[in-house]
Amino acid sequence: MTQPIKVTYQLTPDDQGILAIDLLSRLTNLPKLRLKDAMSKGAVWLKRKKQLRLRRIKEPLRSGDVLSIYYDDALLSLALPDGIHCLEQNRFYSVWFKPAGVMSQGTQFGDHLSLLRYVEVATQRPVFLIHRLDKETQGIMLIAHQPKSAAALTSLFTEHKIRKIYTAEVLGKVDSKGEMAFPIDEKPAHTLYECMAYDDTLNISHVRIELKTGRTHQIRRHFDMIGHPVIGDPRYGKGNKNTQGLKLTASELIFTCPFTHEEKHFA
């Protein structure tokens, strides 16, 4: 496979009007079919007034434009896992189940493996990311479809007016109920949990978790801190690795809809 390619080029007056696909071909020596695929999967960026993914192969470029490609053949050859499905859709937002292995949003190297791009293509509507789940975590996500709904839903998250419930399998026997308030990255972090069942054969507790804050890898780090890492976590913990993946699910979102004022409970 081709080694990853990173190229950034600022156009000169001599480049005025050249098509994006032709310039990329000149810069990378890649076949145009591969470049077309890379563009469709979000691996090409155009910075004009602002930087955006460029998907139009025949986009005429201007002097001063900055064109970038982040090409990874191995990544571009991957396909989305099965299992993405919509729980609800309305004019303001939609609610989706994200399987493990799907990114919340794309990277420089593409967005074809992300939920955000999947929803954009599936609904043919603008999409705005409100919150994130780790790639390894499955569960429920909100996607906004209007700037005003994105702002309103983001406010619910920042003001802690959306209840975020998770379920997980963790190593060892935990207390029947617990609370963790260890800072994460020098910021306050607050996690509540309740043990729903314990499997003494496997030495695994099944827990229900409620996040009161939203720090990076908060659940995974907090449970590792108390010696009960999440099963299948590739990054945190010892004695908890497996071949089936991270046993963590964002299982419920509960909030009052800021548009209809209805109580919403997605599970």
Side-chain angles (χ1 to χ4, degrees), residues 169-236:
E169 296 178 13
V170 302
L171 184 66
K173 186 174 184 180
V174 300
D175 295 336
S176 58
K177 289 186 178 182
E179 182 174 351
M180 293 174 279
F182 311 113
I184 290 178
D185 298 328
E186 300 181 351
K187 296 178 181 179
H190 191 188
T191 306
L192 303 176
Y193 72 87
E194 179 180 1
C195 184
M196 308 304 292
Y198 172 67
D199 187 327
D200 58 359
T201 303
L202 298 175
N203 191 30
I204 289 175
S205 295
H206 299 261
V207 293
R208 183 177 186 269
I209 303 155
E210 181 164 1
L211 287 183
K212 294 299 185 180
T213 53
R215 307 304 176 201
T216 300
H217 298 168
Q218 179 172 322
I219 291 172
R220 297 162 63 181
R221 293 165 79 175
H222 266 176
F223 276 94
D224 184 37
M225 288 176 187
I226 63 171
H228 297 287
V230 179
I231 298 298
D233 194 322
R235 183 166 181 174
Y236 303 101

Side-chain angles (χ1 to χ4, degrees), residues 143-167:
I143 303 291
H145 295 293
Q146 301 173 356
K148 71 173 185 179
S149 57
L153 292 169
T154 297
S155 292
L156 291 185
F157 275 102
T158 57
E159 295 168 10
H160 309 296
K161 293 180 179 179
I162 293 186
R163 293 183 63 195
K164 297 173 286 184
I165 310 297
Y166 291 72
T167 55

Side-chain angles (χ1 to χ4, degrees), residues 118-139:
Y118 177 94
V119 174
E120 183 179 32
V121 173
T123 64
Q124 292 295 296
R125 300 172 69 189
V127 290
F128 301 89
L129 192 71
I130 305 302
H131 62 123
R132 295 171 178 82
L133 291 178
D134 299 336
K135 178 182 177 182
E136 302 91 347
T137 302
Q138 66 178 10

Side-chain angles (χ1 to χ4, degrees), residues 8-209:
T8 295
Y9 178 82
Q10 184 166 15
L11 279 77
T12 69
D14 290 341
D15 300 312
Q16 180 75 28
I18 190 171
L19 299 183
I21 192 76
D22 293 331
L23 180 56
L24 289 169
S25 179
R26 188 180 85 191
L27 293 173
T28 65
N29 292 318
L30 289 169
K32 288 187 177 180
L33 280 177
R34 286 194 185 184
L35 291 170
K36 182 179 178 181
D37 180 63
M39 293 180 79
S40 71
K41 293 177 178 176
V44 175
W45 296 78
L46 175 63
K47 184 177 181 182
R48 194 164 281 165
K49 292 183 178 179
K50 58 182 179 179
Q51 185 164 323
L52 298 170
R53 297 186 198 271
L54 178 62
R55 304 188 199 271
R56 290 183 58 209
I57 64 173
K58 293 187 177 181
E59 176 73 22
L61 302 177
R62 307 173 190 171
S63 176
D65 285 350
V66 178
L67 188 68
S68 301
I69 181 169
Y70 302 89
Y71 184 93
D72 186 334
D73 196 40
L75 183 67
L76 293 171
S77 67
L78 297 177
L80 274 172
D82 294 332
I84 297 175
H85 57 272
C86 185
L87 302 178
E88 181 173 310
Q89 185 172 175
N90 56 53
R91 57 185 288 210
F92 303 106
Y93 60 86
S94 52
V95 186
W96 297 80
F97 178 84
K98 183 191 84 67
V102 176
M103 297 184 293
S104 295
Q105 63 182 140
T107 68
Q108 282 184 323
F109 283 87
D111 61 357
H112 67 295
L113 300 176
S114 72
L115 179 69
L116 196 66
R117 177 59 177 165
Y118 177 94
V119 174
E120 183 179 32
V121 173
T123 64
Q124 292 295 296
R125 300 172 69 189
V127 290
F128 301 89
L129 192 71
I130 305 302
H131 62 123
R132 295 171 178 82
L133 291 178
D134 299 336
K135 178 182 177 182
E136 302 91 347
T137 302
Q138 66 178 10
I140 298 172
M141 286 189 62
L142 284 173
I143 303 291
H145 295 293
Q146 301 173 356
K148 71 173 185 179
S149 57
L153 292 169
T154 297
S155 292
L156 291 185
F157 275 102
T158 57
E159 295 168 10
H160 309 296
K161 293 180 179 179
I162 293 186
R163 293 183 63 195
K164 297 173 286 184
I165 310 297
Y166 291 72
T167 55
E169 296 178 13
V170 302
L171 184 66
K173 186 174 184 180
V174 300
D175 295 336
S176 58
K177 289 186 178 182
E179 182 174 351
M180 293 174 279
F182 311 113
I184 290 178
D185 298 328
E186 300 181 351
K187 296 178 181 179
H190 191 188
T191 306
L192 303 176
Y193 72 87
E194 179 180 1
C195 184
M196 308 304 292
Y198 172 67
D199 187 327
D200 58 359
T201 303
L202 298 175
N203 191 30
I204 289 175
S205 295
H206 299 261
V207 293
R208 183 177 186 269
I209 303 155

